[in-house]
Amino acid sequence: MSGPDGSALVVNGRAHPIDGVPSHERLLDTLRGRLDLKGTKEGCRTGNCGACTVLVDGRSALSCLVLTHEVGDEPVTTIEGIAADPNGRRVQQAFLEEGALQCGYCTPGFVVALTGLLSESPGATAEELLTDLQGNLCRCTGYAAIVRAVRTLRAEGP
Amino acid sequence: MGFELVAPRSPEEAFRLLEEGAGAASVLAGGTDLLFDLDRVTTAPRRVVSLRHLPWRGHAWQGDTLVVGSTEPLYELERDGSVAARLPGLHTAIRAVGSRALRHRATLGGNLARAAPASDLLPILLALDATVEIAGPAGTRRMELDRFLLASRTTALRPPELIRSVTVPAAPSVYLWQRVRPANDISQVGVAIAHPGPAVYRIAVGGIVPRPRRLPGAEAGLLSDPPPGPERVRAAEEAAREAPFPSDRRATEEHRRRVVRALVERGLVHLAGGAA
Ligand SMILES: Cc1cc2nc3c(=O)[nH]c(=O)nc-3n(C[C@@H](O)[C@@H](O)[C@H](O)COP(=O)(O)OP(=O)(O)OC[C@H]3O[C@@H](n4cnc5c(N)ncnc54)[C@H](O)[C@@H]3O)c2cc1C
Ligand code: FES
Ligand code: FES
């Protein structure tokens, strides 16, 4: 499905027409405000917290720093669609088992970012994964359990 | 705060769209700096010209020189093992920029055009003697990065000119930075050292005003290979004395001087085969 000028945004496998979306609108606002996908969170809106992380063509992106119309035909995956990805399911399971969340506000960003890392760098060690997760902040400072979840994932292998 | 967003397919079309927009058109690459500005209304363009369809992405080695298209996302350089092996200082500096998610989109050209005093890429590119290829309606011109950077957020670009590529000669190199948080934070200072040949050291520092710069005074004292302890100390002291450091919300002038002294010495030890 696409709009009259052909522009569509593909999110979690579904195409949404976006010709009515203003040029200056950010992906974060389109996802939450128009598509009612509220799993993606707004923390800082300046690229500093990672709460708004989604995958664009399989790679993590800060949706607060991306114009919706700049996504083009690259598919977007949000936390709502992450379970369709086997790595996404593994990350969710690891977070569940380790209880890696307190208020949960940062969790979608962490789960999406980690899913992207596992797909991009299947051979990454736990330490490497943790280094590349440094852009995700947890305001509750519940890092210990998040670190455990990452180690659990690596212990079971790629 | 609306604007028209256009994505030309050729440089010529981009120049035309920028010229038509005269003064009220902005360039968009990865958007990691521009979208921040747009929110703060320091920039209120009527037209935004996206570079995403220009054929400038990619990077390649031409002999011992790396040529990077301006719209190449930083992550593409980060994941290329040849960049880590032949330009280790550049690789470290790239990894210092924001987070992985940011580097998936942020471009090298955008960082240069932004010309931020705290940029992590400018010091290492200065030390490596990078050149900038500038494209405009009348053709292209090349310029040493040192001449391209004029002041904080000011470059030699004359609208509608665009950065087309950046050329970086390979050299043993190191980049060391200091900041409060490792990721998504801005460096208080950054020290870059390239060692392109016997007893040749090029030192540049960032986190200073009005822009990152080379430190010829510190470089001039390094005459031996590898420089012995006292020579390293003198160069480090000279570096800390030479650069005009600001005091701002990130660090005081005194802190910056102390850290630069330590980082210059550490960088020289690293290049001589020690640990960084
Ligand atoms: C949370 C966060 C953390 C950051 N951390 C760091 C850090 O640690 N170190 C660091 O160095 N930087 C850091 N930055 C800044 C860094 O992301 C940018 O400098 C980035 O490299 C700019 O590239 P871009 O493609 O996103 O540029 P854009 O935002 O698209 O453009 C930036 C500017 O350059 C112009 N421009 C872009 N491309 C061209 C071109 N080809 N020709 C002419 N003009 C052009 C644009 O008009 C605009 O004015 C950070 C930014 C954020 C948001
Ligand atoms: S809301 Fe996007 S990084 Fe914080
Ligand atoms: S669990 Fe509350 S912000 Fe991380």
Short mmCIF file of all heavy atoms in Angstrom, two decimals, chain B residues 195-201 219 222-227 231:
data_model
loop_
_atom_site.label_atom_id
_atom_site.label_comp_id
_atom_site.label_asym_id
_atom_site.label_seq_id
_atom_site.Cartn_x
_atom_site.Cartn_y
_atom_site.Cartn_z
N HIS B 195 52.25 9.41 12.83
CA HIS B 195 53.70 9.18 12.77
C HIS B 195 54.01 8.64 11.37
O HIS B 195 54.27 7.45 11.20
CB HIS B 195 54.04 8.17 13.87
CG HIS B 195 55.49 7.84 13.97
ND1 HIS B 195 56.50 8.73 13.71
CD2 HIS B 195 56.10 6.68 14.33
CE1 HIS B 195 57.66 8.14 13.90
NE2 HIS B 195 57.45 6.89 14.27
N PRO B 196 53.93 9.52 10.36
CA PRO B 196 53.99 9.04 8.97
C PRO B 196 55.37 8.57 8.53
O PRO B 196 55.47 7.84 7.54
CB PRO B 196 53.56 10.26 8.16
CG PRO B 196 53.84 11.44 9.03
CD PRO B 196 53.71 10.97 10.44
N GLY B 197 56.43 8.97 9.21
CA GLY B 197 57.77 8.53 8.80
C GLY B 197 58.73 8.69 9.95
O GLY B 197 58.35 9.21 11.01
N PRO B 198 59.99 8.26 9.75
CA PRO B 198 60.96 8.31 10.84
C PRO B 198 61.09 9.72 11.43
O PRO B 198 61.25 10.69 10.68
CB PRO B 198 62.28 7.89 10.17
CG PRO B 198 61.86 7.15 8.94
CD PRO B 198 60.55 7.69 8.52
N ALA B 199 60.95 9.82 12.72
CA ALA B 199 61.11 11.07 13.47
C ALA B 199 60.16 12.18 12.99
O ALA B 199 60.44 13.35 13.18
CB ALA B 199 62.55 11.56 13.45
N VAL B 200 59.07 11.79 12.33
CA VAL B 200 58.06 12.79 11.97
C VAL B 200 56.80 12.52 12.79
O VAL B 200 56.22 11.43 12.70
CB VAL B 200 57.71 12.75 10.46
CG1 VAL B 200 56.65 13.80 10.13
CG2 VAL B 200 58.95 12.94 9.63
N TYR B 201 56.41 13.49 13.58
CA TYR B 201 55.20 13.36 14.39
C TYR B 201 54.31 14.56 14.10
O TYR B 201 54.79 15.69 14.11
CB TYR B 201 55.55 13.33 15.88
CG TYR B 201 56.26 12.05 16.28
CD1 TYR B 201 57.63 11.95 16.19
CD2 TYR B 201 55.53 10.95 16.71
CE1 TYR B 201 58.28 10.78 16.51
CE2 TYR B 201 56.17 9.77 17.04
CZ TYR B 201 57.55 9.69 16.95
OH TYR B 201 58.18 8.52 17.26
N GLU B 219 55.27 19.58 18.06
CA GLU B 219 55.84 18.69 17.04
C GLU B 219 57.33 18.96 16.84
O GLU B 219 58.12 18.03 16.65
CB GLU B 219 55.12 18.91 15.69
CG GLU B 219 53.67 18.50 15.70
CD GLU B 219 52.95 18.92 14.42
OE1 GLU B 219 53.59 19.49 13.52
OE2 GLU B 219 51.73 18.67 14.33
N LEU B 222 60.18 17.05 18.69
CA LEU B 222 60.32 15.59 18.59
C LEU B 222 61.27 15.26 17.45
O LEU B 222 60.91 15.25 16.29
CB LEU B 222 58.93 14.97 18.34
CG LEU B 222 57.99 15.09 19.54
CD1 LEU B 222 56.55 14.82 19.13
CD2 LEU B 222 58.39 14.13 20.65
N LEU B 223 62.52 14.97 17.81
CA LEU B 223 63.56 14.83 16.79
C LEU B 223 64.11 13.42 16.69
O LEU B 223 64.82 13.09 15.75
CB LEU B 223 64.72 15.80 17.11
CG LEU B 223 64.27 17.27 17.24
CD1 LEU B 223 65.38 18.10 17.87
CD2 LEU B 223 63.86 17.83 15.89
N SER B 224 63.81 12.60 17.69
CA SER B 224 64.40 11.26 17.70
C SER B 224 63.30 10.23 17.42
O SER B 224 62.13 10.52 17.51
CB SER B 224 65.02 10.96 19.06
OG SER B 224 65.50 12.14 19.65
N ASP B 225 63.74 9.02 17.12
CA ASP B 225 62.77 7.97 16.80
C ASP B 225 63.19 6.67 17.45
O ASP B 225 64.18 6.08 17.03
CB ASP B 225 62.69 7.81 15.28
CG ASP B 225 61.33 7.30 14.87
OD1 ASP B 225 60.49 7.07 15.77
OD2 ASP B 225 61.10 7.15 13.68
N PRO B 226 62.49 6.17 18.44
CA PRO B 226 61.38 6.84 19.11
C PRO B 226 61.89 7.91 20.06
O PRO B 226 63.01 7.80 20.55
CB PRO B 226 60.72 5.68 19.89
CG PRO B 226 61.81 4.71 20.14
CD PRO B 226 62.75 4.83 18.98
N PRO B 227 61.05 8.92 20.33
CA PRO B 227 61.53 9.99 21.21
C PRO B 227 61.76 9.47 22.63
O PRO B 227 60.90 8.78 23.17
CB PRO B 227 60.40 11.02 21.18
CG PRO B 227 59.22 10.32 20.59
CD PRO B 227 59.70 9.15 19.83
N GLU B 231 62.21 13.97 25.88
CA GLU B 231 61.70 14.62 24.66
C GLU B 231 60.16 14.54 24.64
O GLU B 231 59.49 15.49 24.26
CB GLU B 231 62.28 13.89 23.45
CG GLU B 231 62.60 14.82 22.29
CD GLU B 231 63.35 14.09 21.18
OE1 GLU B 231 64.57 13.89 21.34
OE2 GLU B 231 62.71 13.72 20.18
#
